[in-house]
Amino acid sequence: MLYAFPSLKWMQSTWAGVDSIFGNLDRAKPLPSYKLTRFAGTFGVHMREYVIGHIIAWERTFDELREDQAKKQWHGLLRANYRLLSSLSIGILGVGDIGKHVAEACKVFGMTVWGLVRQDLPKEKRSPHVDHYRQIDGLCELLQNCDYVCNVLPSTSLSRGLLNGNMLENCKQKKSVFINIGRGDVISEQTLMGALRKEWISGAVLDVFPTEPLAEDSELWDMKQVKITPHISAISFPEEVADIFSENYEKYVKGEDLNYVVDWEQGY
């Protein structure tokens, strides 16, 4: 389909991620010449609520409290052992549109925010809600300093397998919780389960996986320290898609630069 319309000038995607589009590229052919724009500018609001909700639920042991209630057990001293978010740090892998929204929400609660970016950013492009910026060569330092690690990276040649191998061993002192709302292929399932078993990380909140839906026989389903959601941290509301498209359409007919243009060379 990507090559079916030779006169096409512009295509608007209704998803933030474009890896499925790039997966259908014919590498034997030149890259498409038309503009591709992605759906963006709204998912950050959805995803920051997902991240903050899970962090609060983790720190205040909501799951355990529900189990106590089901068993009619009163564990006041046990469940009163929690941490304030203002004492915690989070590392956000990918501080683009979505990552900046997550950073802003975390900063509202007083968290220390670390951000991973592909290249050094000038001051005017940095988020005021990110305390420490690091590039890929500073990933180990970021992991060593964060109580939570939140992946927001798209699937690209640079991000695929970024956390494979022993990378998460850098989390073992903090016993970080790993949150993945970006793309599942940033880490393999076996690597993630290994990090959990070795207690390099204390838990994982997973909305995306290398293969979806997650296989019924995956061991992740049965790991108590893992929370699984079916790729719903952010969905495309029809009215939001219409707003993004109409704004870009107005720009297109006026000959103005479009919002959220995808770089065919970079893959995002």
Side-chain angles (χ1 to χ4, degrees), residues 67 102 159 215 268:
E67 292 175 2
V102 175
S159 66
Y268 62 92

Side-chain angles (χ1 to χ4, degrees), residues 16-255:
V18 290
D19 39 300
S20 60
I21 294 175
F22 278 79
N24 285 293
L25 283 176
D26 185 344
R27 300 296 177 178
K29 296 180 179 180
L31 292 171
S33 59
Y34 54 84
K35 289 186 181 296
L36 170 65
T37 52
R38 61 188 182 87
F39 180 57
T42 63
F43 281 160
V45 176
H46 299 233
M47 288 182 165
R48 72 185 180 189
E49 291 185 4
Y50 179 96
V51 172
I52 289 295
H54 276 284
I55 292 176
I56 293 174
W58 196 282
E59 292 303 319
R60 291 302 184 109
T61 63
F62 285 176
D63 285 349
E64 291 82 355
L65 287 166
R66 186 69 186 92
E67 292 175 2
D68 292 347
Q69 181 178 341
K71 297 174 183 177
K72 301 178 182 178
Q73 295 178 341
W74 186 281
H75 293 308
L77 291 177
L78 177 63
R79 302 307 179 204
N81 184 27
Y82 59 81
R83 303 180 294 182
L84 290 175
L85 270 63
S86 58
S87 70
L88 303 177
S89 55
I90 184 169
I92 301 172
L93 311 185
V95 195
D97 177 62
I98 293 172
K100 287 177 182 176
H101 275 86
V102 175
E104 182 180 13
C106 292
K107 187 52 69 177
V108 166
F109 288 90
M111 298 183 75
T112 299
V113 180
W114 292 64
L116 186 76
V117 291
R118 186 170 57 89
Q119 57 189 14
D120 191 31
L121 297 176
K123 240 179 190 179
E124 63 271 15
K125 289 192 175 182
R126 295 190 174 200
S127 167
H129 309 296
V130 176
D131 301 292
H132 309 286
Y133 272 95
R134 291 294 183 272
Q135 295 172 247
I136 296 296
D137 60 2
L139 176 58
C140 294
E141 182 188 2
L142 180 151
L143 296 176
Q144 291 163 7
N145 282 279
C146 292
D147 299 290
Y148 285 83
V149 176
C150 179
N151 175 55
V152 194
L153 291 168
S155 178
T156 69
S157 58
L158 291 175
S159 66
R160 284 189 286 274
L162 181 66
L163 300 180
N164 281 347
N166 296 331
M167 183 58 70
L168 290 185
E169 188 173 3
N170 289 289
C171 299
K172 66 181 181 181
Q173 185 169 349
K174 283 278 191 178
K175 294 291 187 289
S176 316
V177 176
F178 175 59
I179 302 174
N180 196 359
I181 55 174
R183 282 295 181 262
D185 58 9
V186 74
I187 186 171
S188 72
E189 191 173 322
Q190 290 301 318
T191 300
L192 180 58
M193 290 191 295
L196 288 161
R197 291 194 186 101
K198 294 171 184 174
E199 298 184 348
W200 292 346
I201 58 176
S202 61
V205 177
L206 308 173
D207 189 53
V208 291
F209 304 86
T211 301
E212 296 181 3
L214 183 63
E216 289 185 15
D217 61 356
S218 171
E219 295 178 42
L220 288 172
W221 290 108
D222 299 314
M223 301 183 84
K224 187 173 177 58
Q225 68 272 49
V226 174
K227 311 301 178 190
I228 292 172
T229 57
H231 205 145
I232 46 79
S233 61
I235 62 174
S236 301
F237 289 162
E239 62 272 22
E240 292 176 335
V241 174
D243 287 343
I244 295 295
F245 175 77
S246 61
E247 184 178 350
N248 256 348
Y249 177 74
E250 290 293 331
K251 288 178 173 291
Y252 179 79
V253 296
K254 292 177 182 178

